[in-house]
Amino acid sequence: MKTALQAFSALTLAVSLAHTGLAHAQEHQHDTFNLLEQEKANTQIYNAYFPNADIGRKAAISFHGQLLESHYPKGYLVMELNDEEMQKLQVFGFTFAPATEFITKRNQILSKLQTQMLSAQQKSLSMAADVSANNVSISGIPGYSCYATVEETFAVAADMASSKPNLAQWLDIGDSWEKGAGVGGHDLRVLKLTNRSKTGTKPKLFINSAIHAREYTTAALTLDFARQLVDGYGVDADATWILDHHEVHILLMTNPDGRKKAETGLSWRKNANQNYCGAGSNSRGADLNRNFTFGWNSTNGQGSSGSQCNDTYRGPSAGSEPEIKALESYVRSLWPDRRGSGKNDAAPSDTSGIHLDVHSYSELVLWPWGDTSQAAPNGTALQTLGRKFAFFNNYRPQQSIGLYPTDGTSDGISYGELGVPSYTFELGTEFFQSCSTYNNTIKPNNLPALLYAAKVVRTPYITPGGPDISNLSLSNGGSTGVPAGTAVTLSGSASDARFNNSNGTESTQAISAVEYYINQAPWDSGASPTALLPSDGSFNSVSEGFSGTLNTAGLSEGKYLVYVRARDASGTWGAVSASFLVIDNDATQPPANYCSASSGSANYEWIGRVQVGSFNNSSGAATYSDFTGQNISLVRGSNSLTLTPQFSSGAYRQGWRVWIDLNKDGDFDDSGEAVYTSSGTSTSAVSGSFNIASSVASGATRMRVAMRYNATPASPCGSYNYGEVEDYTVVIP
């Protein structure tokens, strides 16, 4: 059920008063009341039973505008359908029944909303004297604190540009329909992120979100991504080099007028253009993702609707909507046209740039074409990058054609017209996704996919075919501070196999080389690499550990970026990952007497993820990983813990134990330092907690996590047959 409807309350009126004044707020409230009444009257909602899950997923693509809920395990979708749409689905074996349960729950919630609104209206006059933008605390869409409103999103972005002008600009690129018509509305704004002190031509990643108003998760994810980059500059090595060398442009609210309608709980998809389907209708507006100029109505009515009240109404002409005019104009300013005019003209392999259009829902990664089943001329490279994105978010990667084609969509301007690779992410499983699902699943799984896009945007048709670097670490406190001349070991993992192969298999090759650069990116003029060595003596597998000693002699005090990349046997260099090396001649070295520990093999299982409180680290196959360069902030009292195994093929039972050197004496042998032990063995993740007593001294110390095949690790030292050991730095307040 669209539970966002349950969240609307009198606070909605207070927010409106604070921003628009009493008279306008009352008018807006009356309009919303009537729109909710219209939605209650809609009974063209059905349980659409599909013959198999593959047909169901394709229907979710072609009939995305009609989709209300998905119940794949139960074999049906909840959809709003007219007779023509039902006939189209019947051809593919769909059967239908009235969605009585959905309609009943919806109407109960809508009636409750209206009652709350009437009650709030009685208080509006007294509230008017007391409500202002300064004394109303607004924290997201009511009931969904993780999703910022349009105004809050704009305020956060504006604050980034104000507080960190060297990294962020908040650009006005046009007006929404309502603003252009003088009936309220919003600016269309892009958040441009890059280190402006680093000049020169930079490759550009463009992301737009919330083009469909009711898709709550989308703008939240892109805003969180912006925060990750800006807040991470100078703290996180990857965020730092990305902003130094690349540009990220984010149109956070592509459809702000429609989004304001959806914030009231309405299932609003389109923009708010009052020229279509009646000025007071909740079916008014155009579907902005059917209004792009390239390929507009190219399927002669199959891929979009010519009916003004339909959720996929394409508008009266190509690019008719001001929101699309602004977006297309901005995109054309980012990239040159590198694709010919023919449908089968491929863009050159060295084309730079990526366009991501972030939607919800269906857990898909999609690429062109969507208006034909024919593969795009750059289809092989698009598929490779799509499978790489899907490795991170675990979504299904596929070409964006469903049961029927779609036309006039966002990939037209970027890929169709300019040749820049374009993708659609379909986040999650609901339009009004719960905050717990967003925070625990959608956000942590998709931020790495967005970060990867920012990494490979220089050559997106080439780089994703190469190996990825993970588990980078520097020994002897190299990431926190060492005197010049200290021997610092750089280690990590390289893998050419990080693809989602749930829909076809991507070819892989053995690792052939790994190299690093200090304070120079590989593409910098005169950049000089240093080779790193395979941990097992030879580079001959698709996944390899590597290490090498950094030469820190003669380095002046300061923070250095260490860039690392790997090449596979086909000669393709993969994405760069980085770590900080800090030279501090006053630094003291941590104790070096911790015992060694590892498994004998990571061919079958290894530690896939360690989560402690809000800390979250995913990693690849290794027998031992040194993550002491990553600090985990603990709390006094109970600390939550989740440990996740990962397997190369079949799942095997694992036992776990965690030690913390609580007295900082360089070992884990003292009483109480085994802080967590799993209850037996399991093939799945284990969760629990451990306690930090008030008597434990503050400061940094080491934590060791051990996972062992078919047994609980008995000792923090030594080796055993299968599994992995990982070390971390924990900070006790």
Side-chain angles (χ1 to χ4, degrees):
M1 186 59 197
K2 296 180 287 183
T3 55
L5 296 175
Q6 296 171 317
F8 191 93
S9 69
L11 179 59
T12 303
L13 178 60
V15 173
S16 294
L17 291 170
H19 286 288
T20 63
L22 176 61
H24 183 75
Q26 288 177 323
E27 179 182 351
H28 172 75
Q29 185 188 44
H30 179 73
D31 179 54
T32 302
F33 187 96
N34 289 336
L35 293 176
L36 293 173
E37 193 66 27
Q38 290 179 34
E39 189 153 320
K40 286 169 61 178
N42 178 17
T43 58
Q44 290 186 297
I45 299 174
Y46 303 91
N47 293 341
Y49 294 89
F50 45 75
N52 58 65
D54 184 59
I55 293 293
R57 290 189 184 94
K58 289 182 177 180
I61 297 172
S62 296
F63 292 85
H64 196 267
Q66 292 77 24
L67 191 64
L68 298 175
E69 283 186 353
S70 60
H71 297 275
Y72 289 108
K74 296 181 180 180
Y76 71 93
L77 307 171
V78 179
M79 307 180 81
E80 181 181 347
L81 300 168
N82 59 33
D83 291 342
E84 179 183 356
E85 291 160 346
M86 293 174 71
Q87 290 170 7
K88 287 182 177 180
L89 287 168
Q90 284 174 330
V91 172
F92 293 93
F94 276 78
T95 58
F96 308 93
T100 53
E101 182 180 358
F102 179 94
I103 293 171
T104 299
K105 290 181 180 178
R106 178 205 62 183
N107 288 353
Q108 289 173 347
I109 293 169
L110 294 176
S111 295
K112 182 178 179 180
L113 279 173
Q114 291 171 314
T115 300
Q116 291 173 334
M117 292 173 67
L118 290 173
S119 176
Q121 189 174 29
Q122 299 300 316
K123 302 177 182 178
S124 60
L125 290 175
S126 60
M127 288 173 62
D130 185 53
V131 173
S132 71
N134 293 326
N135 63 20
V136 175
S137 176
I138 305 170
S139 182
I141 298 171
Y144 292 83
S145 59
C146 58
Y147 305 130
T149 64
V150 171
E151 292 83 4
E152 291 169 334
T153 300
F154 283 15
V156 171
D159 181 68
M160 285 186 193
S162 175
S163 61
K164 298 184 179 179
N166 195 50
L167 299 178
Q169 294 173 273
W170 187 224
L171 308 176
D172 186 346
I173 67 167
D175 294 337
S176 67
W177 184 89
E178 285 187 346
K179 184 164 187 181
V183 291
H186 304 79
D187 294 322
L188 293 180
R189 287 186 169 271
V190 166
L191 185 61
K192 177 182 177 181
L193 306 176
T194 192
N195 182 358
R196 298 169 71 184
S197 66
K198 300 276 189 178
T199 58
T201 302
K202 301 179 181 181
K204 301 170 179 66
L205 168 64
F206 175 74
I207 309 175
N208 69 274
S209 52
I211 196 170
H212 288 145
R214 62 195 178 191
E215 299 173 4
Y216 276 7
T217 58
T218 62
L221 179 68
T222 55
L223 184 61
D224 280 331
F225 182 51
R227 287 190 181 106
Q228 178 182 1
L229 292 178
V230 173
D231 294 344
Y233 188 85
V235 179
D236 177 82
D238 281 336
T240 302
W241 80 255
I242 286 170
L243 291 185
D244 280 347
H245 295 278
H246 296 171
E247 294 178 8
V248 177
H249 302 247
I250 308 177
L251 180 56
L252 295 159
M253 291 287 180
T254 312
N255 179 14
D257 295 349
R259 179 56 172 248
K260 291 309 298 178
K261 304 294 184 186
E263 286 176 11
T264 70
L266 286 167
S267 184
W268 199 283
R269 173 181 169 93
K270 301 188 286 184
N271 73 351
N273 193 328
Q274 296 178 16
N275 294 322
Y276 316 137
C277 194
S281 170
N282 65 349
S283 296
R284 67 176 179 263
D287 183 348
L288 297 179
N289 203 35
R290 299 295 185 273
N291 189 244
F292 286 87
T293 54
F294 185 95
W296 183 82
N297 195 25
S298 61
T299 60
N300 296 316
Q302 277 193 307
S304 58
S305 176
S307 172
Q308 292 186 355
C309 297
N310 191 283
D311 265 351
T312 59
Y313 175 55
R314 58 182 169 264
S317 61
S320 60
E321 303 311 294
E323 295 89 348
I324 297 304
K325 284 184 169 68
L327 189 158
E328 290 192 334
S329 177
Y330 191 77
V331 165
R332 292 187 183 107
S333 75
L334 296 179
W335 304 303
D337 185 353
R338 302 203 69 198
R339 205 179 77 82
S341 58
K343 186 81 170 178
N344 295 319
D345 293 337
S349 61
D350 64 351
T351 295
S352 175
I354 296 175
H355 176 191
L356 301 180
D357 186 5
V358 183
H359 285 254
S360 73
Y361 59 95
S362 290
E363 297 186 330
L364 297 169
V365 174
L366 306 172
W367 58 84
W369 302 112
D371 60 353
T372 174
S373 58
Q374 174 186 335
N378 295 95
T380 299
L382 288 167
Q383 177 176 265
T384 296
L385 179 51
R387 287 173 173 166
K388 186 62 69 73
F389 287 146
F391 168 83
F392 294 104
N393 59 23
N394 200 33
Y395 291 173
R396 181 178 174 84
Q398 65 183 75
Q399 186 179 333
S400 57
I401 185 74
L403 298 178
Y404 287 96
T406 53
D407 54 30
T409 54
S410 60
D411 57 5
I413 178 61
S414 47
Y415 181 72
E417 183 177 325
L418 305 176
V420 171
S422 177
Y423 294 83
T424 296
F425 285 13
E426 293 281 1
L427 307 178
T429 57
E430 298 180 58
F431 292 132
F432 298 157
Q433 195 89 55
S434 71
C435 281
S436 61
T437 300
Y438 174 75
N439 286 321
N440 295 329
T441 304
I442 293 173
K443 177 180 173 181
N445 289 352
N446 281 280
L447 284 179
L450 298 185
L451 189 73
Y452 186 81
K455 285 186 174 185
V456 302
V457 68
R458 184 173 297 270
T459 49
Y461 288 134
I462 300 174
T463 304
D468 293 338
I469 299 295
S470 61
N471 306 335
L472 274 183
S473 64
L474 301 181
S475 71
N476 290 338
S479 60
T480 57
V482 295
T486 302
V488 174
T489 299
L490 169 66
S491 62
S493 302
S495 177
D496 202 54
R498 303 216 306 175
F499 299 101
N500 183 317
N501 293 320
S502 62
N503 183 24
T505 302
E506 196 72 20
S507 63
T508 59
Q509 294 80 37
I511 306 300
S512 64
V514 184
E515 62 185 24
Y516 76 87
Y517 304 72
I518 296 182
N519 252 25
Q520 289 180 309
W523 48 83
D524 284 341
S525 176
S528 177
T530 301
L532 291 162
L533 301 178
S535 299
D536 61 1
S538 62
F539 285 134
N540 55 14
S541 300
V542 296
S543 297
E544 294 277 5
F546 60 82
S547 63
T549 301
L550 300 183
N551 181 11
T552 66
L555 292 179
S556 58
E557 287 195 322
K559 183 180 285 188
Y560 295 81
L561 274 167
V562 181
Y563 300 81
V564 184
R565 66 174 183 169
R567 184 182 65 206
D568 65 21
S570 73
T572 303
W573 288 100
V576 166
S577 289
S579 182
F580 280 126
L581 169 67
V582 179
I583 301 300
D584 178 2
N585 291 329
D586 296 325
T588 57
Q589 295 304 295
N593 57 334
Y594 285 103
C595 60
S596 62
S598 69
S599 75
S601 172
N603 292 334
Y604 304 102
E605 64 261 284
W606 57 91
I607 297 173
R609 179 177 291 184
V610 171
Q611 297 167 269
V612 180
S614 61
F615 176 84
N616 188 331
N617 182 55
S618 298
S619 57
T623 59
Y624 170 78
S625 296
D626 184 353
F627 291 125
T628 54
Q630 301 190 36
N631 291 347
I632 303 175
S633 297
L634 302 182
V635 298
R636 299 283 179 176
S638 179
N639 292 262
S640 63
L641 175 76
T642 300
L643 305 171
T644 305
Q646 192 165 335
F647 306 99
S648 59
S649 55
Y652 303 94
R653 300 186 71 86
Q654 306 296 320
W656 300 82
R657 185 162 285 170
V658 178
W659 293 266
I660 297 178
D661 181 14
L662 295 173
N663 63 0
K664 306 180 184 67
D665 65 348
D667 61 48
F668 305 103
D669 298 335
D670 300 281
S671 175
E673 291 189 333
V675 297
Y676 173 79
T677 303
S678 63
S679 176
T681 60
S682 171
T683 60
S684 58
V686 297
S687 295
S689 63
F690 59 87
N691 189 69
I692 299 297
S694 59
S695 59
V696 175
S698 300
T701 188
R702 184 170 295 204
M703 178 178 79
R704 176 160 291 177
V705 180
M707 181 191 85
R708 181 175 181 177
Y709 163 65
N710 208 35
T712 301
S715 169
C717 305
S719 63
Y720 46 85
N721 49 6
Y722 300 103
E724 187 187 0
V725 176
E726 293 184 353
D727 281 352
Y728 294 85
T729 297
V730 294
V731 180
I732 299 171

